[in-house]
Amino acid sequence: MASFEVTDLNKVKRKGQRGNYDHATVHNLIDKTPVLHVAFNPPPPSSGDESPQFPVILPMLGCTGSYSRNADPDAELPLAEARNVYLHGYVSARLMRLPETANVNGSGSGHGGDDGSEGSEGVPLTVSATLLDGIILAATPFNHSCNYRSAVVFGHAVVVTDEAEKNYAVHRITNNLVPHRWQNARLPDKSELATTGVLRVDIHSASAKIHVGGPSIDRKDLKDKSVMDNVWTGVVPTWIHYGDLMEGNDNQIETPSYLTSWIDDKRNQGEKEAMQSLRDEKGKLGVKLPAERKRGWFGGFFGGS
């Protein structure tokens, strides 16, 4: 399976056994996370400006793609193949202007894209994605934890100016958030696309980190009846809940099946992934499964455990 080279930049240093470097895991997490967080350094202050300079982190919509390999935005790309990350924003936003400054100043990276494209200059940034699968409550807050899946991507961003690639990116970002939405909405006109900014992030390096299982109870607490008789321990399974569709005041059509099907799929998928995270790396179930959840379809999450 194709993987990112492990370097000092992307190596998971704490609890390294939880690290994962294969393309499929990183790409999947980027695409499954509704809101990505993008970190970058702002441009140097203007002359005479002595205000402190802070790194900037922005929440943004985005997803993976590979226009250079397959220009069809609806194509199912193999998760293990190299890709870029596309980010959506407003054309005049600060982040959208940074790559132009980097290129003009000659401070671009010169690194090639992870999708095999030729090297392109751009501004260095970091993209992170996190999905919370559970809150772990142990006997002491010191041992509390979370089940989660996270990915961090290091790359160099360039503004997408080619009209065909920009259409590809916004099409793919839209359908990544809500499948089939692009085909079931009025398409953006030229003026709307002109005010839409798209960044392509050429991936330089990346890694994922995943935590699964139940609470870890210290031996001293297991032997202490006053602790075990008074402290509840376990896991709160956690996932994003997609509510019932609520039509807008000006809506004039019946609820389309592609939306109801998507919501059903997201609800089932979120719960399934949260429940699957209750098994640790060795496959041991870290909680007592309620009797009613051992029966029927729910039992399928645990293979009948």
Side-chain angles (χ1 to χ4, degrees):
M1 180 176 291
S3 299
F4 295 99
E5 180 184 359
V6 181
T7 67
D8 286 341
L9 178 64
N10 71 336
K11 184 177 181 180
V12 176
K13 297 176 175 62
R14 186 175 185 278
K15 302 288 185 179
Q17 72 276 13
R18 296 175 184 166
N20 188 302
Y21 304 91
D22 65 77
H23 287 185
T25 299
V26 171
H27 296 159
N28 190 42
L29 283 170
I30 293 293
D31 287 343
K32 280 189 173 182
T33 303
V35 178
L36 304 172
H37 286 86
V38 181
F40 60 96
N41 290 317
S46 57
S47 178
D49 184 357
E50 298 182 359
S51 59
Q53 292 297 298
F54 298 100
V56 177
I57 300 178
L58 296 177
M60 300 184 74
L61 297 179
C63 69
T64 65
S66 184
Y67 179 75
S68 64
R69 290 179 185 270
N70 191 331
D72 178 3
D74 293 314
E76 290 289 337
L77 302 175
L79 279 172
E81 272 192 5
R83 301 187 187 186
N84 303 113
V85 176
Y86 285 97
L87 299 170
H88 168 276
Y90 186 61
V91 70
S92 62
R94 171 172 41 175
L95 180 55
M96 293 294 167
R97 298 196 305 269
L98 274 179
E100 299 172 3
T101 305
N103 291 341
V104 169
N105 295 338
S107 57
S109 69
H111 287 283
D114 187 57
D115 71 341
S117 60
E118 293 297 320
S120 58
E121 295 183 336
V123 63
L125 51 73
T126 302
V127 181
S128 71
T130 304
L131 294 171
L132 181 65
D133 292 320
I135 300 171
I136 301 173
L137 304 177
T140 170
F142 180 78
N143 288 332
H144 286 186
S145 188
C146 292
N147 284 333
Y148 61 86
R149 289 163 286 156
S150 64
V152 177
V153 169
F154 305 94
H156 298 84
V158 295
V159 175
V160 175
T161 56
D162 178 78
E163 186 175 342
E165 186 176 6
K166 180 185 278 192
N167 269 287
Y168 167 91
V170 293
H171 182 149
R172 195 166 176 88
I173 291 170
T174 299
N175 279 358
N176 183 70
L177 186 65
V178 181
H180 309 295
R181 186 59 181 174
W182 186 267
Q183 293 86 346
N184 289 278
R186 178 184 66 78
L187 299 185
D189 58 33
K190 286 193 173 184
S191 64
E192 290 167 336
L193 282 174
T195 60
T196 300
V198 173
L199 288 178
R200 184 186 70 243
V201 181
D202 297 334
I203 299 177
H204 174 74
S205 183
S207 61
K209 189 176 183 182
I210 299 171
H211 183 279
V212 292
S216 175
I217 310 299
D218 289 340
R219 185 173 299 178
K220 64 182 179 182
D221 290 323
L222 289 171
K223 294 180 178 180
D224 191 336
K225 185 174 174 61
S226 65
V227 172
M228 300 310 294
D229 284 354
N230 290 282
V231 180
W232 187 92
T233 61
V235 179
V236 183
T238 308
W239 62 93
I240 296 174
H241 175 72
Y242 288 76
D244 294 334
L245 289 160
M246 304 179 71
E247 61 181 288
N249 291 335
D250 299 319
N251 178 66
Q252 298 180 36
I253 70 169
E254 295 294 322
T255 303
S257 60
Y258 78 92
L259 287 176
T260 55
S261 297
W262 165 66
I263 287 179
D264 288 342
D265 288 345
K266 295 298 287 187
R267 288 172 175 173
N268 292 334
Q269 180 189 56
E271 183 174 17
K272 180 179 180 179
E273 291 173 344
M275 296 303 168
Q276 288 175 334
S277 75
L278 298 174
R279 286 196 186 277
D280 64 19
E281 295 88 346
K282 297 180 180 179
K284 181 181 177 182
L285 191 59
V287 298
K288 300 175 184 177
L289 204 59
E292 65 272 16
R293 295 201 164 186
K294 291 183 180 179
R295 298 191 294 268
W297 67 271
F298 198 95
F301 290 168
F302 305 101
S305 296

